[in-house]
Amino acid sequence: MWLKAEGFLDKVKSWWENYHFQGAPSYIFAKKLTTLKLDLKKWNKIDFGNVTAKKQQLWIKLNALYVQEETQPLTDEEKLEKASLRFELKNTLLEEISWRQNSRVLYLKEWDSNTSFFHRMANSNRRYNYIENLMFVGVLTSN
């Protein structure tokens, strides 16, 4: 999902190059990854926010325009707003792409893309891939 956002790779590259830590290469790498994770979370919240809530609001506004269009013709300004809402709604569908990628279930039809099954699979994969403890150079680390 993030790879489809304009300028994403440039942001990650600039963030990565601006991180400066001292120590062993493995320590520097781990600190850079931790800092990058925090920056990605901030960026995601600012640029994408709560995608589900945005999508619902866009549907409500768009449906109101469709209902209004049935009773009377839309003004040029309202037609422009309708086109803009449709474009924004298309962009918010990135959330569904994200859930599909996280679930790693590619064999389901497109109309099933936002079911509770996808959410369960994504959460299951996240729990499965979680590393609780890690032994590195004789030192046990834990989250």
Side-chain angles (χ1 to χ4, degrees):
M1 174 176 93
W2 289 346
L3 292 174
K4 293 186 182 277
E6 194 171 316
F8 171 72
L9 293 176
D10 294 331
K11 283 182 190 277
V12 172
K13 184 178 179 182
S14 70
W15 286 332
W16 189 265
E17 291 172 349
N18 288 322
Y19 301 148
H20 301 288
F21 298 102
Q22 293 190 2
S26 60
Y27 173 78
I28 293 171
F29 182 67
K31 291 300 284 181
K32 281 187 168 189
L33 283 177
T34 303
T35 309
L36 179 63
K37 178 181 177 181
L38 295 174
D39 284 339
L40 286 171
K41 282 185 173 184
K42 288 178 194 172
W43 173 79
N44 183 57
K45 190 172 186 175
I46 291 168
D47 277 22
F48 292 103
N50 186 345
V51 180
T52 306
K54 283 183 183 177
K55 187 168 60 171
Q56 288 174 346
Q57 290 174 349
L58 290 172
W59 274 118
I60 290 169
K61 290 178 182 177
L62 191 59
N63 284 334
L65 286 174
Y66 279 124
V67 168
Q68 180 183 343
E69 189 176 32
E70 289 177 5
T71 58
Q72 63 189 25
L74 296 177
T75 64
D76 289 339
E77 185 178 304
E78 291 169 334
K79 288 178 183 177
L80 187 60
E81 181 184 6
K82 181 180 160 185
S84 173
L85 288 171
R86 290 179 67 185
F87 179 76
E88 284 184 60
L89 188 59
K90 184 178 179 182
N91 288 337
T92 60
L93 296 178
L94 290 174
E95 175 197 26
E96 293 182 20
I97 294 171
S98 171
W99 277 110
R100 192 175 314 120
Q101 289 172 342
N102 287 336
S103 70
R104 297 184 190 153
V105 178
L106 302 176
Y107 59 86
L108 290 177
K109 302 267 188 253
E110 184 175 312
W111 51 270
D112 278 339
S113 63
N114 200 17
T115 63
S116 62
F117 175 75
F118 271 91
H119 297 275
R120 284 195 314 264
M121 289 301 295
N123 291 333
S124 170
N125 287 330
R126 185 177 50 230
R127 284 189 298 272
Y128 178 77
N129 291 333
Y130 179 75
I131 299 174
E132 188 172 328
N133 296 313
L134 183 65
M135 179 72 78
F136 182 73
V137 191
V139 178
L140 183 67
T141 60
S142 62
N143 285 342

